[in-house]
Amino acid sequence: MTEETKKEKEKKSPFRVLWLLLGLLCLGLGTVGVVLPILPTVPFYLATAFCFAKSSRKLHDWFLKTSLYKKHLESFVEDRSMTKGTKIKIIVTVTLLMGVGFAMMGRVPVGRILLVIVWVFHLWYFIFRIDTRQEINKNEE
């Protein structure tokens, strides 16, 4: 399949608008997460990059050039590492949100068990699978 045929096929995809809207929603939620610590920024920006890649090359390229992407996601995408502070923020946020879900599932023991399994996997992944890098001091640059 030639490059031109791929581009024509992408433009005709009925899911293109859905990916675009989902990307915009994730961008909005991620941006709100910069200000409100209850929303994690990194997962929403990862989803934004994915959705924009599926919907529009121009939007994807634009997003990769923004300071939001560079500040919150670029280092993770490049070397799969995060600062200790970023990891702690994500772990605390997910733990709080899952704790609320756990409390609300008082009468659903299977749901509680599944939440605990997901939470333990989340902890394991962030602690052991994502490298911790040193925070770069802006004065040193």
Side-chain angles (χ1 to χ4, degrees):
M1 190 181 298
T2 67
E3 189 67 30
E4 194 172 300
T5 309
K6 284 182 185 178
K7 286 180 183 177
E8 286 177 20
K9 191 175 180 180
E10 284 177 8
K11 286 182 180 177
K12 293 179 182 178
S13 172
F15 293 108
R16 189 167 184 249
V17 173
L18 179 66
W19 287 117
L20 175 66
L21 293 174
L22 194 57
L24 291 171
L25 176 66
C26 290
L27 177 64
L29 289 172
T31 304
V32 169
V34 170
V35 180
L36 296 176
I38 191 121
L39 284 175
T41 303
V42 173
F44 284 118
Y45 283 166
L46 276 172
T48 300
F50 177 80
C51 293
F52 282 173
K54 291 278 198 181
S55 67
S56 167
R57 171 59 49 201
K58 285 181 183 180
L59 272 177
H60 184 257
D61 291 343
W62 166 81
F63 181 64
L64 296 182
K65 293 176 186 172
T66 63
S67 62
L68 294 172
Y69 174 83
K70 289 177 181 177
K71 180 179 179 188
H72 297 283
L73 205 57
E74 190 171 50
S75 63
F76 176 74
V77 171
E78 287 176 358
D79 62 2
R80 306 255 323 148
S81 68
M82 293 180 175
T83 64
K84 191 176 188 179
T86 301
K87 287 171 88 172
I88 289 171
K89 271 195 230 177
I90 291 172
I91 289 171
V92 167
T93 301
V94 170
T95 300
L96 290 173
L97 291 173
M98 290 184 120
V100 169
F102 187 85
M104 295 175 84
M105 289 190 179
R107 295 183 179 165
V108 187
V110 173
R112 283 182 149 196
I113 291 168
L114 288 174
L115 268 177
V116 168
I117 291 169
V118 170
W119 179 72
V120 168
F121 177 76
H122 163 77
L123 288 177
W124 171 80
Y125 185 79
F126 273 87
I127 293 169
F128 298 110
R129 299 289 295 167
I130 296 178
D131 294 333
T132 304
R133 65 177 167 84
Q134 293 293 335
E135 196 138 358
I136 298 171
N137 227 346
K138 293 191 179 195
N139 296 336
E140 294 176 7
E141 289 181 345

